[in-house]
Amino acid sequence: MGTPLNHDELITAYGQMRTIRAFEESVNEEFLDGNIPGFVHLYAGQEAIAVGVCAHLSDEDKIGSTHRGHGHCIAKGCDVRAMMLEIFGKKDGLCGGKGGSMHIADLDRGMLGANAIVGGAPPLAIGAALAAKNLGTGGIGVAFIGDGASNQGTTFEALNMAVALKLPAIFVFENNGYGEGTGHDFAVGSGDIGALAGAFGMPVTCVDGTDFFAVCEAMADAVDRARSGDGPGAIEAKATRFYGHYVGDPERYRSSIEVSELREHHDCLKIFRSRVLESGLLTENELDDQDREAVAEVDAAVLAAKAASDPTSSDLITDVYAGY
Amino acid sequence: MTTVSMRDALNQAMREEMRRDERVVLIGEDVSGGLGGTGEDDAMGGVFGVSQGLVSEFGRERVIDTPITESAIMGMAAGAAMTGLRPIAELMFIDFMGVCFDQIFNQAAKFRYMFGGKAATPLVVRTTIGAGFRTAAQHSQSLYALFAHIPGLKVVIPSNPYDAKGLLIDAIRDDDPVIFCEHKVLYDTMGDVPEESYRIPMGEANIVRSGTDVTIVALARMVGFALEAAELLAAKGVESTIIDPRTISPLDMETIIESVEETGRLVVVDEGYPRCGLASDIAGEVAEHAFGVLKAPIKRVTPPHTPVPFSPTLEDAYIPDACRIVDAVQATLKQER
């Protein structure tokens, strides 16, 4: 198996995927125990997409995310502890407890925010691409777009604008099977998200989103193109989510065997492990170490979040304006 | 000081800011015009010609024509603002906010708060407001109150060339998203404007005229009608103060309340719709904070609660004018308690 990633990069990639999984499993537990307010949407099952895409990005590159954004944050380098504090609504969270799971952002890492409006991010991501182009930073703008958001007008408009202005933008369509409780097979009229993006006039690669190496390779091509001034590209990556739309979702819209099948046969972590072990790129010990470290980091983050202070009432009215 | 139109004053403001700061870019439909056509370059300069000539000085990298795609214009400008540019995005008519509002009020307006104060969004949305062009219900509205309702946005509504230039420069240099509303009937209004750059800070009302009998608050085109009304009233011995807030978020309530404390009477003239609008908001603030000094009920002068009609006869009846302002002032004088 050929891969452009070196040994350390492979370890990092697996570690990040494993951290996302551990993070989401903990958030699920803590939410069900009543320790997390609001809505949370979990990324488990899709880890190879976020990590395969962000493996090619630096802090100069910007990503626009979705309501299911924890995985994108971790893959883009956000601090896991500060993320957990934010999801718990704490003062020292990444956004001071004012954003929460659906608005988690870290501009220093180029993470322009989870976005609770379906289809909210694509126009913002092409804005980041425009800024990078005009300021000559060499950066690119990347939009993560669910299969649900693939039907939104904002997505179409951003695709067209990126082509018209030849922006260094990449559209990553994450087809996770469902928009809330409605299947992609029904909601995407043509059934073919990749063809839709292609119709706007950009190259599209469709990959198995549970295959880290396939995502990584597709992104490498799109990034080369965007960085060299050849304009936008798109990737459609298919990976069905393991959890419901939100934690607490009774998931009556899918059969009970679907998830057990997914976890058994389409788990990107298992697939990654077997691939790197078979090809001798990494050892079992190296992978097990990453598993342990990921769980330990997330467990520590949960303990820190539980012990952290809430914002105070004086925080309510700050941060609305730079000046007013 | 030279005498220029409001259109040229706005053009000067953009030109000077684009010279001063290369991060300032202009984005919108036909802000230069002519791309992909068989005719001239810079064929439009905006539908009202406000940005004419900017592309020849700053190039297409900074004067960015777009497809007709308002959500992508507003979202792209917001994303660019958050990542280092200082965009001026043109929403050709404020009525078109209906197809792009999410990118303004759920995205740009909320970044700073949602992200714990770590985001700055130096974005100016230039847009046109106002009836009087015979352009009917979808090109004539004065929807500024909808933006002022949203925390995180600032809203500017100039009434003359001098204010237009100084306020636009202030808006471009500001680190918050600003909705800059240009009344299309005022583009040819002439006024004295310094050739050099100057800022008029948002949040400071202008006292256009001073009088002791009544306070009239008016914005944009309504300021001219208020002045006409004040002359008619002066002939009858009634002296009016006219206050032009110039920005409605932030809104200089202090100046309005100080004036009402002197006059005891308030008339608010607003081209926006009457329900839940700016006139109601100002009336509510005064009723809450200066009820004791009021000598008569507050009067609001607004259009009726209808869409803007097309027929010139109907549109003229729709728009508040000097006569209606005079009537309102006289009513407050008669209703003295």
Side-chain angles (χ1 to χ4, degrees), chain A residues 36-40 67 70 82-83 85-105 113-116 311 315 319, chain B residues 110-118:
Chain A
I36 295 174
F39 293 143
V40 287
H67 57 284
H70 306 164
M83 282 178 64
L85 262 66
E86 184 61 31
I87 290 167
F88 274 69
K90 302 299 182 178
K91 185 176 173 66
D92 291 334
L94 254 185
C95 304
K98 287 179 172 173
S101 167
M102 289 192 287
H103 305 297
I104 197 161
N115 206 309
D315 297 316
D319 304 325
Chain B
K110 292 183 170 62
F111 291 152
R112 190 173 188 86
Y113 196 80
M114 291 192 303
F115 304 161
K118 292 173 190 162

Side-chain angles (χ1 to χ4, degrees), chain A residues 87-218:
Chain A
I87 290 167
F88 274 69
K90 302 299 182 178
K91 185 176 173 66
D92 291 334
L94 254 185
C95 304
K98 287 179 172 173
S101 167
M102 289 192 287
H103 305 297
I104 197 161
D106 187 346
L107 302 187
D108 293 337
R109 300 275 81 79
M111 165 57 187
L112 305 185
N115 206 309
I117 304 298
V118 171
L124 304 175
I126 64 166
L130 176 73
K133 186 180 174 189
N134 272 43
L135 297 170
T137 66
I140 61 175
V142 177
F144 286 97
I145 304 163
D147 50 292
S150 79
N151 298 320
Q152 284 280 43
T154 45
T155 300
F156 303 156
E157 291 193 25
L159 287 163
N160 184 59
M161 183 84 98
V163 172
L165 300 183
K166 215 175 179 186
L167 296 174
I170 297 172
F171 300 88
V172 179
F173 290 92
E174 297 187 86
N175 185 344
N176 73 6
Y178 296 90
E180 293 201 10
T182 298
H184 141 272
D185 288 344
F186 163 79
V188 178
S190 71
D192 191 343
I193 294 171
L196 182 149
F200 284 92
M202 68 182 76
V204 183
T205 311
C206 297
V207 295
D208 175 354
T210 65
D211 180 350
F212 167 82
F213 296 98
V215 175
C216 195
E217 194 182 324

